[in-house]
Amino acid sequence: MTEQPIIEIRNAAKSYGALEVLKDISLTVNRGEIVAIIGPSGSGKSTFLRAINELDPLSGGEIFLEGEQVNKRLPPREYERHINRIRQEIGMVFQHFNLFPHLTVRGNVTLGPRLLKGLSQADVDKLAEEQLDHVGMLERIDYFPSQLSGGQKQRVAIARALAMKPKVMLFDEATSALDPELVEEVNAVMKRLAQEHMTMLIVTHEMGFAQDVCDRVLFMDQGVVVEEGPPDVIFRNPTNERTRNFLRKHLEGRS
Amino acid sequence: MDFELIRTVFPFFLKAAWVTVLLSVLTAILGLICGSLGAAARLSRSRVLRFLGAAYVSVFRGTPALIQLFLLYFGGPQIGIQLDAFQAGVIGLGVNAGAYMTETIRGAIIAVDRGQTEAARTIGMSRWQAMRHVILPQAMRLMIRPLGVNINALIKATALVAPISVVELTYTAQRYIGSTYRPFEMFLLAGILYLIIILSVGRVVGWLDRKARIA
Ligand SMILES: Nc1ncnc2c1ncn2[C@@H]1O[C@H](COP(=O)(O)OP(=O)(O)O)[C@@H](O)[C@H]1O
Ligand SMILES: [Mg+2]
Protein backbone atom coordinates (compact mmCIF):
# COMPACT_ATOMS: atom_id res chain seq x y z
CA MET A 1 0.00 0.00 0.00
CA THR A 2 1.51 3.28 -1.05
CA GLU A 3 0.54 6.53 0.55
CA GLN A 4 -1.03 9.28 -1.51
CA PRO A 5 1.61 11.89 -2.38
CA ILE A 6 1.01 15.31 -0.84
CA ILE A 7 1.79 17.12 -4.05
CA GLU A 8 1.78 15.72 -7.50
CA ILE A 9 2.47 17.86 -10.53
CA ARG A 10 2.10 16.48 -14.02
CA ASN A 11 3.49 18.15 -17.10
CA ALA A 12 3.33 21.68 -15.76
CA ALA A 13 3.61 24.28 -18.50
CA LYS A 14 3.35 28.03 -18.33
CA SER A 15 3.78 30.77 -20.89
CA TYR A 16 3.65 34.53 -20.71
CA GLY A 17 2.77 35.31 -24.30
CA ALA A 18 5.51 33.81 -26.41
CA LEU A 19 7.78 33.31 -23.39
CA GLU A 20 7.71 29.73 -22.14
CA VAL A 21 8.53 29.98 -18.47
CA LEU A 22 7.78 26.36 -17.49
CA LYS A 23 8.15 23.49 -19.92
CA ASP A 24 6.69 20.15 -18.99
CA ILE A 25 7.72 19.84 -15.36
CA SER A 26 6.55 16.89 -13.29
CA LEU A 27 7.17 16.43 -9.60
CA THR A 28 5.88 14.22 -6.82
CA VAL A 29 6.36 15.17 -3.19
CA ASN A 30 5.53 12.64 -0.51
CA ARG A 31 4.49 13.32 3.04
CA GLY A 32 7.37 14.61 5.11
CA GLU A 33 9.61 15.09 2.12
CA ILE A 34 11.69 18.21 1.78
CA VAL A 35 12.49 19.27 -1.74
CA ALA A 36 14.82 22.11 -2.67
CA ILE A 37 14.52 23.91 -5.95
CA ILE A 38 17.66 25.66 -7.10
CA GLY A 39 18.60 27.34 -10.33
CA PRO A 40 19.62 30.64 -11.86
CA SER A 41 17.48 33.73 -11.57
CA GLY A 42 14.68 33.76 -14.13
CA SER A 43 14.65 29.99 -14.53
CA GLY A 44 11.00 29.77 -13.41
CA LYS A 45 11.37 28.68 -9.78
CA SER A 46 8.95 31.25 -8.38
CA THR A 47 6.49 30.71 -11.18
CA PHE A 48 6.54 26.99 -10.49
CA LEU A 49 6.00 27.44 -6.76
CA ARG A 50 3.25 30.01 -7.29
CA ALA A 51 1.51 27.68 -9.72
CA ILE A 52 1.04 25.12 -6.97
CA ASN A 53 -1.52 27.27 -5.14
CA GLU A 54 -2.64 28.95 -8.34
CA LEU A 55 -1.30 32.41 -7.59
CA ASP A 56 0.05 32.12 -11.14
CA PRO A 57 -2.11 29.45 -12.79
CA LEU A 58 -0.49 27.04 -15.20
CA SER A 59 -1.24 27.15 -18.90
CA GLY A 60 -1.00 23.37 -19.09
CA GLY A 61 -0.64 20.35 -16.86
CA GLU A 62 -2.19 19.23 -13.60
CA ILE A 63 -1.54 19.81 -9.93
CA PHE A 64 -2.86 17.50 -7.24
CA LEU A 65 -2.95 18.00 -3.49
CA GLU A 66 -3.41 14.64 -1.81
CA GLY A 67 -5.09 13.35 -4.93
CA GLU A 68 -7.45 16.28 -5.40
CA GLN A 69 -6.86 18.34 -8.48
CA VAL A 70 -5.96 21.92 -7.58
CA ASN A 71 -6.20 23.55 -10.99
CA LYS A 72 -9.67 22.32 -11.83
CA ARG A 73 -11.74 24.10 -14.43
CA LEU A 74 -14.85 25.19 -12.58
CA PRO A 75 -17.46 27.92 -12.90
CA PRO A 76 -16.10 31.09 -11.21
CA ARG A 77 -18.03 30.83 -7.96
CA GLU A 78 -17.27 27.16 -7.44
CA TYR A 79 -13.67 27.73 -8.37
CA GLU A 80 -13.39 30.47 -5.72
CA ARG A 81 -14.73 28.18 -3.03
CA HIS A 82 -12.54 25.31 -4.21
CA ILE A 83 -9.31 27.30 -4.41
CA ASN A 84 -9.87 29.09 -1.10
CA ARG A 85 -10.26 25.74 0.59
CA ILE A 86 -7.21 24.28 -1.15
CA ARG A 87 -5.07 27.29 -0.32
CA GLN A 88 -5.73 26.82 3.39
CA GLU A 89 -3.85 23.54 3.06
CA ILE A 90 -0.83 25.08 1.35
CA GLY A 91 1.30 27.46 3.40
CA MET A 92 3.42 29.94 1.52
CA VAL A 93 6.30 32.12 2.64
CA PHE A 94 7.48 34.97 0.46
CA GLN A 95 10.83 36.60 -0.05
CA HIS A 96 9.45 39.95 1.13
CA PHE A 97 7.42 38.54 4.06
CA ASN A 98 4.21 40.35 3.07
CA LEU A 99 3.12 40.73 6.66
CA PHE A 100 -0.02 42.82 7.14
CA PRO A 101 1.43 46.13 8.37
CA HIS A 102 -1.81 47.38 9.92
CA LEU A 103 -2.07 44.38 12.23
CA THR A 104 0.06 43.33 15.17
CA VAL A 105 2.00 40.10 15.12
CA ARG A 106 -0.96 38.50 16.87
CA GLY A 107 -3.36 39.96 14.32
CA ASN A 108 -1.23 38.68 11.46
CA VAL A 109 -1.27 35.14 12.79
CA THR A 110 -4.90 35.05 13.92
CA LEU A 111 -6.59 36.72 10.95
CA GLY A 112 -6.67 33.60 8.75
CA PRO A 113 -7.80 31.13 11.41
CA ARG A 114 -10.38 33.58 12.72
CA LEU A 115 -11.94 34.23 9.32
CA LEU A 116 -11.57 30.81 7.80
CA LYS A 117 -11.57 28.21 10.53
CA GLY A 118 -14.46 29.57 12.55
CA LEU A 119 -12.47 29.47 15.77
CA SER A 120 -13.29 31.59 18.79
CA GLN A 121 -11.05 34.50 19.74
CA ALA A 122 -9.73 32.47 22.68
CA ASP A 123 -8.88 29.55 20.42
CA VAL A 124 -7.12 31.67 17.80
CA ASP A 125 -5.19 33.47 20.52
CA LYS A 126 -4.01 30.18 21.89
CA LEU A 127 -3.13 29.02 18.39
CA ALA A 128 -1.19 32.20 17.71
CA GLU A 129 0.70 31.91 20.96
CA GLU A 130 1.67 28.32 20.18
CA GLN A 131 2.81 29.13 16.67
CA LEU A 132 4.72 32.22 17.72
CA ASP A 133 6.39 30.34 20.52
CA HIS A 134 7.42 27.77 17.97
CA VAL A 135 9.26 30.35 15.88
CA GLY A 136 10.60 32.16 18.95
CA MET A 137 8.46 35.27 18.48
CA LEU A 138 6.09 35.02 21.41
CA GLU A 139 7.56 38.02 23.23
CA ARG A 140 6.81 40.20 20.20
CA ILE A 141 3.17 39.18 19.93
CA ASP A 142 1.90 42.73 20.43
CA TYR A 143 4.43 44.42 18.16
CA PHE A 144 3.65 45.75 14.72
CA PRO A 145 5.63 44.42 11.74
CA SER A 146 7.34 47.79 11.34
CA GLN A 147 8.93 47.27 14.75
CA LEU A 148 10.57 43.98 13.77
CA SER A 149 13.81 43.04 12.01
CA GLY A 150 13.66 41.19 8.70
CA GLY A 151 14.45 37.87 10.33
CA GLN A 152 11.74 38.39 12.91
CA LYS A 153 9.24 39.37 10.22
CA GLN A 154 9.97 36.21 8.31
CA ARG A 155 9.55 34.07 11.39
CA VAL A 156 6.17 35.69 12.01
CA ALA A 157 5.26 35.06 8.37
CA ILE A 158 6.12 31.39 8.88
CA ALA A 159 3.98 31.29 12.03
CA ARG A 160 1.14 32.92 10.11
CA ALA A 161 1.30 30.20 7.48
CA LEU A 162 1.62 27.41 10.06
CA ALA A 163 -1.40 28.67 12.00
CA MET A 164 -3.54 27.44 9.10
CA LYS A 165 -2.20 23.91 9.77
CA PRO A 166 -1.18 23.39 6.14
CA LYS A 167 -0.27 20.02 4.65
CA VAL A 168 2.69 21.48 2.84
CA MET A 169 4.79 24.63 3.09
CA LEU A 170 6.19 26.50 0.10
CA PHE A 171 9.15 28.80 0.64
CA ASP A 172 10.15 31.22 -2.10
CA GLU A 173 13.63 32.48 -1.24
CA ALA A 174 12.60 33.07 2.34
CA THR A 175 16.04 34.40 3.30
CA SER A 176 17.08 36.30 0.16
CA ALA A 177 15.87 39.67 1.39
CA LEU A 178 17.57 39.33 4.77
CA ASP A 179 20.81 40.81 6.00
CA PRO A 180 23.35 37.97 6.25
CA GLU A 181 23.36 37.97 10.05
CA LEU A 182 19.60 37.38 10.12
CA VAL A 183 19.55 34.40 7.78
CA GLU A 184 20.44 31.86 10.42
CA GLU A 185 17.45 32.49 12.69
CA VAL A 186 15.08 31.81 9.79
CA ASN A 187 17.03 28.79 8.66
CA ALA A 188 16.87 27.45 12.20
CA VAL A 189 13.09 27.66 12.15
CA MET A 190 12.94 25.87 8.82
CA LYS A 191 15.30 23.17 10.08
CA ARG A 192 13.05 22.66 13.05
CA LEU A 193 10.07 22.20 10.74
CA ALA A 194 12.13 19.68 8.82
CA GLN A 195 12.76 17.71 12.00
CA GLU A 196 9.04 17.72 12.64
CA HIS A 197 8.55 16.20 9.19
CA MET A 198 6.69 19.10 7.67
CA THR A 199 6.41 18.58 3.93
CA MET A 200 8.27 21.45 2.28
CA LEU A 201 9.16 22.83 -1.11
CA ILE A 202 11.99 25.27 -0.73
CA VAL A 203 13.22 27.58 -3.46
CA THR A 204 16.60 28.73 -2.27
CA HIS A 205 19.94 30.04 -3.39
CA GLU A 206 21.61 28.76 -0.24
CA MET A 207 23.29 25.60 -1.38
CA GLY A 208 24.59 24.75 2.08
CA PHE A 209 21.09 24.88 3.52
CA ALA A 210 19.66 22.78 0.69
CA GLN A 211 22.37 20.21 1.23
CA ASP A 212 21.82 20.01 4.99
CA VAL A 213 18.08 20.01 5.12
CA CYS A 214 16.59 18.62 1.95
CA ASP A 215 15.88 15.07 0.86
CA ARG A 216 15.89 15.92 -2.79
CA VAL A 217 17.16 18.74 -4.96
CA LEU A 218 15.76 19.93 -8.28
CA PHE A 219 17.98 22.01 -10.49
CA MET A 220 15.91 24.18 -12.81
CA ASP A 221 17.11 26.14 -15.80
CA GLN A 222 15.09 27.90 -18.48
CA GLY A 223 11.83 26.39 -17.36
CA VAL A 224 12.90 22.76 -17.21
CA VAL A 225 14.13 20.49 -14.45
CA VAL A 226 17.60 19.78 -15.73
CA GLU A 227 18.61 17.43 -12.99
CA GLU A 228 17.07 15.96 -9.88
CA GLY A 229 18.37 13.78 -7.10
CA PRO A 230 19.54 13.49 -3.52
CA PRO A 231 21.66 16.44 -2.36
CA ASP A 232 24.82 14.35 -2.17
CA VAL A 233 24.53 13.47 -5.82
CA ILE A 234 23.46 16.90 -7.07
CA PHE A 235 26.08 18.82 -5.12
CA ARG A 236 28.97 16.34 -5.33
CA ASN A 237 28.49 14.52 -8.61
CA PRO A 238 26.12 16.40 -10.86
CA THR A 239 25.91 14.69 -14.23
CA ASN A 240 24.62 17.63 -16.22
CA GLU A 241 26.93 20.27 -17.60
CA ARG A 242 24.55 23.13 -16.79
CA THR A 243 24.19 21.98 -13.19
CA ARG A 244 27.95 21.82 -12.84
CA ASN A 245 28.37 25.34 -14.22
CA PHE A 246 25.70 26.72 -11.96
CA LEU A 247 27.10 25.07 -8.86
CA ARG A 248 30.64 26.11 -9.68
CA LYS A 249 29.54 29.74 -9.81
CA HIS A 250 27.51 29.43 -6.65
CA LEU A 251 29.90 27.46 -4.50
CA GLU A 252 32.92 29.57 -5.46
CA GLY A 253 31.98 32.90 -3.91
CA ARG A 254 31.38 31.28 -0.55
CA SER A 255 33.98 28.48 -0.02
CA MET B 1 -14.05 99.66 3.67
CA ASP B 2 -17.43 99.96 5.33
CA PHE B 3 -17.21 98.04 8.60
CA GLU B 4 -20.62 99.18 9.73
CA LEU B 5 -22.11 97.56 6.63
CA ILE B 6 -20.15 94.39 7.21
CA ARG B 7 -21.46 94.21 10.74
CA THR B 8 -25.02 94.62 9.48
CA VAL B 9 -24.85 91.89 6.86
CA PHE B 10 -22.63 89.54 8.87
CA PRO B 11 -25.45 87.50 10.49
CA PHE B 12 -26.91 86.84 7.05
CA PHE B 13 -23.52 85.72 5.78
CA LEU B 14 -23.12 83.42 8.74
CA LYS B 15 -26.44 81.83 7.96
CA ALA B 16 -25.36 81.46 4.35
CA ALA B 17 -22.06 79.95 5.45
CA TRP B 18 -24.05 77.38 7.38
CA VAL B 19 -25.92 76.51 4.17
CA THR B 20 -22.56 76.17 2.42
CA VAL B 21 -21.35 73.83 5.17
CA LEU B 22 -24.52 71.75 5.01
CA LEU B 23 -24.31 71.60 1.23
CA SER B 24 -20.65 70.57 1.49
CA VAL B 25 -21.29 67.86 4.05
CA LEU B 26 -24.15 66.32 2.08
CA THR B 27 -22.21 66.60 -1.16
CA ALA B 28 -19.19 64.96 0.43
CA ILE B 29 -21.30 62.10 1.78
CA LEU B 30 -22.95 61.51 -1.57
CA GLY B 31 -19.56 61.88 -3.26
CA LEU B 32 -18.02 59.25 -1.00
CA ILE B 33 -20.90 56.88 -1.70
CA CYS B 34 -20.64 57.41 -5.46
CA GLY B 35 -16.85 57.27 -5.28
CA SER B 36 -16.88 53.96 -3.39
CA LEU B 37 -19.35 52.44 -5.83
CA GLY B 38 -17.39 53.87 -8.75
CA ALA B 39 -14.12 52.46 -7.44
CA ALA B 40 -15.74 49.08 -6.80
CA ALA B 41 -17.05 49.10 -10.36
CA ARG B 42 -13.70 50.12 -11.82
CA LEU B 43 -11.94 47.32 -9.91
CA SER B 44 -14.64 44.74 -10.56
CA ARG B 45 -14.06 41.50 -12.40
CA SER B 46 -17.08 42.27 -14.56
CA ARG B 47 -16.19 43.94 -17.82
CA VAL B 48 -19.57 45.69 -17.95
CA LEU B 49 -19.12 47.21 -14.48
CA ARG B 50 -15.59 48.27 -15.30
CA PHE B 51 -16.87 49.99 -18.43
CA LEU B 52 -19.67 51.72 -16.53
CA GLY B 53 -17.25 52.90 -13.87
CA ALA B 54 -14.86 54.29 -16.45
CA ALA B 55 -17.72 55.95 -18.34
CA TYR B 56 -18.99 57.57 -15.15
CA VAL B 57 -15.57 59.02 -14.41
CA SER B 58 -14.89 60.30 -17.89
CA VAL B 59 -18.33 61.84 -18.41
CA PHE B 60 -18.45 63.65 -15.09
CA ARG B 61 -14.86 64.79 -15.13
CA GLY B 62 -15.04 65.61 -18.83
CA THR B 63 -17.86 68.16 -18.65
CA PRO B 64 -18.23 71.34 -16.57
CA ALA B 65 -19.95 70.78 -13.23
CA LEU B 66 -22.05 73.86 -13.98
CA ILE B 67 -23.46 72.23 -17.12
CA GLN B 68 -24.22 69.04 -15.16
CA LEU B 69 -26.00 71.10 -12.53
CA PHE B 70 -27.99 73.14 -15.06
CA LEU B 71 -28.90 70.02 -16.95
CA LEU B 72 -30.26 68.46 -13.78
CA TYR B 73 -32.04 71.52 -12.40
CA PHE B 74 -33.33 73.20 -15.56
CA GLY B 75 -33.39 70.20 -17.88
CA GLY B 76 -34.63 67.69 -15.30
CA PRO B 77 -38.30 68.76 -15.21
CA GLN B 78 -38.46 68.21 -18.96
CA ILE B 79 -37.81 64.48 -18.39
CA GLY B 80 -39.79 64.26 -15.17
CA ILE B 81 -37.07 64.97 -12.57
CA GLN B 82 -38.43 67.64 -10.29
CA LEU B 83 -35.95 68.83 -7.68
CA ASP B 84 -35.71 71.97 -5.62
CA ALA B 85 -32.52 74.00 -5.95
CA PHE B 86 -30.88 72.60 -2.81
CA GLN B 87 -31.62 68.98 -3.76
CA ALA B 88 -30.36 69.57 -7.27
CA GLY B 89 -27.23 71.17 -5.83
CA VAL B 90 -26.47 68.23 -3.54
CA ILE B 91 -27.16 65.59 -6.17
CA GLY B 92 -25.43 67.43 -9.02
CA LEU B 93 -22.32 68.29 -7.03
CA GLY B 94 -22.26 64.97 -5.15
CA VAL B 95 -22.36 62.85 -8.28
CA ASN B 96 -19.73 65.09 -9.83
CA ALA B 97 -17.46 64.86 -6.77
CA GLY B 98 -17.99 61.08 -6.80
CA ALA B 99 -16.28 60.87 -10.17
CA TYR B 100 -13.12 62.44 -8.74
CA MET B 101 -13.36 60.36 -5.57
CA THR B 102 -13.72 57.20 -7.65
CA GLU B 103 -10.24 57.79 -8.96
CA THR B 104 -8.86 58.71 -5.54
CA ILE B 105 -10.26 55.59 -3.88
CA ARG B 106 -9.26 53.33 -6.73
CA GLY B 107 -5.77 54.85 -6.70
CA ALA B 108 -5.37 54.18 -2.99
CA ILE B 109 -6.55 50.59 -3.35
CA ILE B 110 -4.20 49.77 -6.18
CA ALA B 111 -1.35 51.52 -4.37
CA VAL B 112 -1.42 48.80 -1.69
CA ASP B 113 1.38 46.36 -2.42
CA ARG B 114 0.31 43.36 -4.51
CA GLY B 115 2.09 41.09 -2.06
CA GLN B 116 -0.60 41.94 0.48
CA THR B 117 -3.36 40.48 -1.68
CA GLU B 118 -1.17 37.50 -2.46
CA ALA B 119 -0.46 36.83 1.20
CA ALA B 120 -4.16 37.09 2.05
CA ARG B 121 -5.29 34.89 -0.83
CA THR B 122 -2.56 32.36 -0.07
CA ILE B 123 -3.99 31.86 3.40
CA GLY B 124 -7.31 31.06 1.73
CA MET B 125 -9.18 34.34 2.09
CA SER B 126 -11.75 35.16 -0.56
CA ARG B 127 -11.32 38.23 -2.72
CA TRP B 128 -13.77 40.09 -0.51
CA GLN B 129 -12.13 38.98 2.75
CA ALA B 130 -8.75 40.07 1.44
CA MET B 131 -10.22 43.40 0.40
CA ARG B 132 -12.09 43.94 3.63
CA HIS B 133 -9.47 42.84 6.16
CA VAL B 134 -6.17 43.47 4.41
CA ILE B 135 -6.40 45.91 1.50
CA LEU B 136 -9.03 48.43 2.58
CA PRO B 137 -7.59 49.16 6.04
CA GLN B 138 -4.31 50.03 4.34
CA ALA B 139 -5.96 51.88 1.45
CA MET B 140 -8.02 53.99 3.89
CA ARG B 141 -4.85 55.47 5.29
CA LEU B 142 -3.57 56.25 1.84
CA MET B 143 -6.79 57.91 0.72
CA ILE B 144 -7.36 60.34 3.60
CA ARG B 145 -5.20 63.14 2.23
CA PRO B 146 -6.22 62.88 -1.44
CA LEU B 147 -9.88 62.69 -0.39
CA GLY B 148 -9.19 65.85 1.58
CA VAL B 149 -8.10 67.47 -1.67
CA ASN B 150 -11.35 66.30 -3.32
CA ILE B 151 -13.38 67.72 -0.46
CA ASN B 152 -11.52 71.01 -0.63
CA ALA B 153 -12.44 71.24 -4.33
CA LEU B 154 -16.02 70.26 -3.61
CA ILE B 155 -16.46 72.99 -1.00
CA LYS B 156 -15.33 75.58 -3.50
CA ALA B 157 -17.57 74.02 -6.14
CA THR B 158 -20.63 74.64 -3.94
CA ALA B 159 -20.41 78.24 -5.21
CA LEU B 160 -21.77 76.84 -8.47
CA VAL B 161 -25.23 76.52 -6.97
CA ALA B 162 -25.54 80.30 -6.64
CA PRO B 163 -26.98 80.65 -10.16
CA ILE B 164 -29.83 78.27 -9.27
CA SER B 165 -30.64 80.43 -6.21
CA VAL B 166 -29.52 78.29 -3.30
CA VAL B 167 -28.98 80.84 -0.56
CA GLU B 168 -25.39 79.92 0.22
CA LEU B 169 -22.37 82.18 0.52
CA THR B 170 -21.78 83.19 -3.08
CA TYR B 171 -25.47 83.78 -3.75
CA THR B 172 -25.76 85.85 -0.58
CA ALA B 173 -22.75 87.97 -1.53
CA GLN B 174 -24.24 88.63 -4.95
CA ARG B 175 -27.61 89.51 -3.49
CA TYR B 176 -26.15 92.05 -1.07
CA ILE B 177 -24.04 93.56 -3.83
CA GLY B 178 -27.30 94.13 -5.70
CA SER B 179 -28.69 96.15 -2.81
CA THR B 180 -25.51 97.80 -1.44
CA TYR B 181 -23.25 98.21 -4.48
CA ARG B 182 -20.31 97.22 -2.26
CA PRO B 183 -18.77 94.23 -4.12
CA PHE B 184 -15.40 94.56 -2.38
CA GLU B 185 -16.78 94.10 1.12
CA MET B 186 -19.28 91.43 0.11
CA PHE B 187 -16.89 89.23 -1.85
CA LEU B 188 -14.17 89.71 0.75
CA LEU B 189 -16.51 88.60 3.51
CA ALA B 190 -17.67 85.59 1.52
CA GLY B 191 -14.06 84.72 0.70
CA ILE B 192 -13.01 84.87 4.34
CA LEU B 193 -15.86 82.60 5.38
CA TYR B 194 -14.95 80.09 2.63
CA LEU B 195 -11.37 80.19 3.84
CA ILE B 196 -12.41 79.48 7.42
CA ILE B 197 -14.52 76.51 6.32
CA ILE B 198 -11.73 75.12 4.16
CA LEU B 199 -9.01 75.60 6.76
CA SER B 200 -11.18 73.87 9.37
CA VAL B 201 -11.76 70.92 7.09
CA GLY B 202 -8.04 70.85 6.37
CA ARG B 203 -7.36 70.61 10.10
CA VAL B 204 -9.77 67.71 10.47
CA VAL B 205 -8.19 65.90 7.52
CA GLY B 206 -4.71 66.45 8.93
CA TRP B 207 -5.83 65.13 12.30
CA LEU B 208 -7.44 62.02 10.75
CA ASP B 209 -4.31 61.40 8.71
CA ARG B 210 -2.05 61.62 11.76
CA LYS B 211 -4.37 59.38 13.73
CA ALA B 212 -4.42 56.79 10.94
CA ARG B 213 -0.64 56.85 10.79
CA ILE B 214 -0.22 56.16 14.49
CA ALA B 215 -2.85 53.43 14.65
N1 LIG C 1 3.89 38.20 -14.74
C1 LIG C 1 4.85 37.92 -15.64
N2 LIG C 1 4.76 38.35 -16.91
C2 LIG C 1 5.72 38.08 -17.81
N3 LIG C 1 6.82 37.37 -17.55
C3 LIG C 1 6.99 36.92 -16.29
C4 LIG C 1 6.02 37.17 -15.28
N4 LIG C 1 6.45 36.58 -14.13
C5 LIG C 1 7.62 36.01 -14.42
N5 LIG C 1 7.96 36.20 -15.72
C6 LIG C 1 9.15 35.69 -16.40
O1 LIG C 1 9.22 34.32 -16.17
C7 LIG C 1 10.56 33.91 -16.02
C8 LIG C 1 10.71 33.12 -14.75
O2 LIG C 1 10.50 33.98 -13.66
P1 LIG C 1 10.56 33.47 -12.16
O3 LIG C 1 9.66 32.32 -12.02
O4 LIG C 1 10.35 34.65 -11.29
O5 LIG C 1 12.07 32.98 -12.04
P2 LIG C 1 12.95 32.69 -10.76
O6 LIG C 1 12.07 32.69 -9.57
O7 LIG C 1 13.59 31.38 -11.03
O8 LIG C 1 13.96 33.78 -10.70
C9 LIG C 1 11.41 35.16 -16.09
O9 LIG C 1 11.93 35.26 -17.39
C10 LIG C 1 10.42 36.25 -15.82
O10 LIG C 1 10.81 37.43 -16.46
MG1 LIG D 1 12.09 33.92 -7.85
Side-chain angles (χ1 to χ4, degrees):
Chain A
M1 199 186 100
T2 53
E3 209 189 348
Q4 183 93 265
I6 297 279
I7 297 265
E8 189 178 354
I9 295 153
R10 292 189 201 142
N11 313 107
K14 170 87 180 173
S15 305
Y16 287 110
L19 180 70
E20 281 188 82
V21 180
L22 301 177
K23 301 166 198 161
D24 195 26
I25 299 183
S26 295
L27 171 67
T28 301
V29 184
N30 290 310
R31 186 183 301 280
E33 234 189 332
I34 298 162
V35 178
I37 303 173
I38 61 170
S41 169
S43 56
K45 304 182 298 295
S46 295
T47 308
F48 181 61
L49 212 60
R50 292 159 58 87
I52 293 173
N53 63 3
E54 291 238 85
L55 277 185
D56 288 334
L58 292 177
S59 353
E62 286 122 47
I63 304 156
F64 297 88
L65 177 74
E66 282 197 319
E68 178 178 8
Q69 188 167 359
V70 174
N71 57 342
K72 264 195 271 198
R73 297 257 169 278
L74 289 169
R77 267 168 198 285
E78 276 172 64
Y79 171 78
E80 270 285 317
R81 226 172 307 131
H82 159 80
I83 199 66
N84 292 340
R85 181 173 51 75
I86 293 274
R87 281 175 176 158
Q88 294 184 37
E89 318 262 8
I90 306 177
M92 189 165 205
V93 174
F94 303 88
Q95 184 175 354
H96 296 288
F97 330 124
N98 297 344
L99 288 183
F100 306 135
H102 59 299
L103 300 177
T104 60
V105 166
R106 181 197 302 275
N108 269 272
V109 178
T110 54
L111 184 62
R114 191 163 57 78
L115 292 176
L116 302 165
K117 300 235 185 244
L119 298 177
S120 69
Q121 188 63 47
D123 286 345
V124 291
D125 277 335
K126 191 159 151 279
L127 180 65
E129 281 156 25
E130 275 165 25
Q131 295 304 335
L132 287 167
D133 195 25
H134 207 74
V135 300
M137 287 298 297
L138 187 53
E139 313 93 273
R140 301 292 155 102
I141 192 164
D142 292 317
Y143 283 52
F144 280 93
S146 59
Q147 299 168 306
L148 303 178
S149 73
Q152 293 173 329
K153 283 182 194 165
Q154 195 60 297
R155 286 189 280 150
V156 172
I158 292 171
R160 176 177 67 179
L162 291 174
M164 296 302 292
K165 308 279 182 190
K167 293 190 171 127
V168 52
M169 288 282 287
L170 312 177
F171 293 87
D172 191 0
E173 306 214 25
T175 57
S176 302
L178 299 178
D179 293 335
E181 72 272 19
L182 302 177
V183 168
E184 198 38 51
E185 65 186 66
V186 174
N187 281 347
V189 167
M190 291 169 67
K191 279 181 187 160
R192 183 135 166 228
L193 290 177
Q195 282 157 13
E196 293 160 1
H197 307 293
M198 172 59 84
T199 312
M200 300 198 268
L201 249 79
I202 303 173
V203 171
T204 184
H205 63 260
E206 285 185 79
M207 301 307 142
F209 181 79
Q211 196 160 0
D212 287 352
V213 174
C214 300
D215 304 312
R216 199 148 41 109
V217 179
L218 264 64
F219 172 67
M220 268 181 77
D221 194 14
Q222 297 180 7
V224 294
V225 175
V226 175
E227 194 166 352
E228 174 181 357
D232 284 350
V233 176
I234 297 289
F235 289 113
R236 300 240 164 77
N237 294 305
T239 51
N240 189 287
E241 183 61 34
R242 280 197 272 174
T243 318
R244 256 176 276 157
N245 283 335
F246 172 79
L247 288 174
R248 196 177 316 125
K249 268 186 235 148
H250 263 261
L251 297 174
E252 261 171 16
R254 37 183 63 230
S255 72
Chain B
M1 196 120 103
D2 187 339
F3 287 103
E4 192 47 45
L5 175 64
I6 289 178
R7 208 192 335 250
T8 317
V9 298
F10 189 69
F12 300 99
F13 273 73
L14 262 190
K15 238 175 105 185
W18 174 242
V19 175
T20 292
V21 168
L22 193 64
L23 196 56
S24 300
V25 168
L26 294 175
T27 301
I29 291 169
L30 182 59
L32 284 169
I33 293 169
C34 293
S36 305
L37 293 175
R42 291 218 54 183
L43 295 169
S44 156
R45 266 181 304 178
S46 146
R47 188 191 294 256
V48 176
L49 284 179
R50 282 204 303 273
F51 172 80
L52 290 176
Y56 167 52
V57 170
S58 59
V59 167
F60 282 87
R61 293 202 316 182
T63 52
L66 194 64
I67 296 290
Q68 295 163 23
L69 200 58
F70 281 4
L71 188 66
L72 179 65
Y73 184 65
F74 296 115
Q78 223 177 302
I79 56 165
I81 301 172
Q82 207 85 41
L83 296 169
D84 69 33
F86 189 82
Q87 291 167 339
V90 169
I91 292 170
L93 294 175
V95 174
N96 177 270
Y100 291 89
M101 290 179 173
T102 292
E103 289 304 88
T104 301
I105 294 169
R106 172 175 163 272
I109 289 170
I110 61 181
V112 176
D113 183 45
R114 255 194 66 198
Q116 292 291 308
T117 308
E118 290 184 353
R121 299 305 308 275
T122 295
I123 291 171
M125 287 184 220
S126 67
R127 276 171 59 97
W128 169 244
Q129 286 172 324
M131 187 52 93
R132 158 88 182 69
H133 296 280
V134 175
I135 304 306
L136 283 181
Q138 297 181 59
M140 296 281 198
R141 296 173 187 198
L142 297 176
M143 68 178 79
I144 292 173
R145 282 199 171 272
L147 281 177
V149 173
N150 292 148
I151 289 171
N152 176 307
L154 145 183
I155 294 169
K156 289 178 286 193
T158 58
L160 294 175
V161 300
I164 63 172
S165 313
V166 177
V167 189
E168 44 67 75
L169 267 175
T170 302
Y171 178 85
T172 302
Q174 285 169 344
R175 205 178 57 181
Y176 279 102
I177 291 161
S179 55
T180 63
Y181 305 102
R182 304 292 294 194
F184 183 78
E185 284 87 345
M186 298 304 129
F187 281 136
L188 188 66
L189 188 52
I192 289 170
L193 289 169
Y194 274 118
L195 186 64
I196 290 170
I197 295 169
I198 282 177
L199 290 179
S200 315
V201 170
R203 294 289 289 264
V204 173
V205 169
W207 175 78
L208 281 174
D209 188 57
R210 271 192 308 281
K211 225 182 88 150
R213 247 161 245 282
I214 297 162

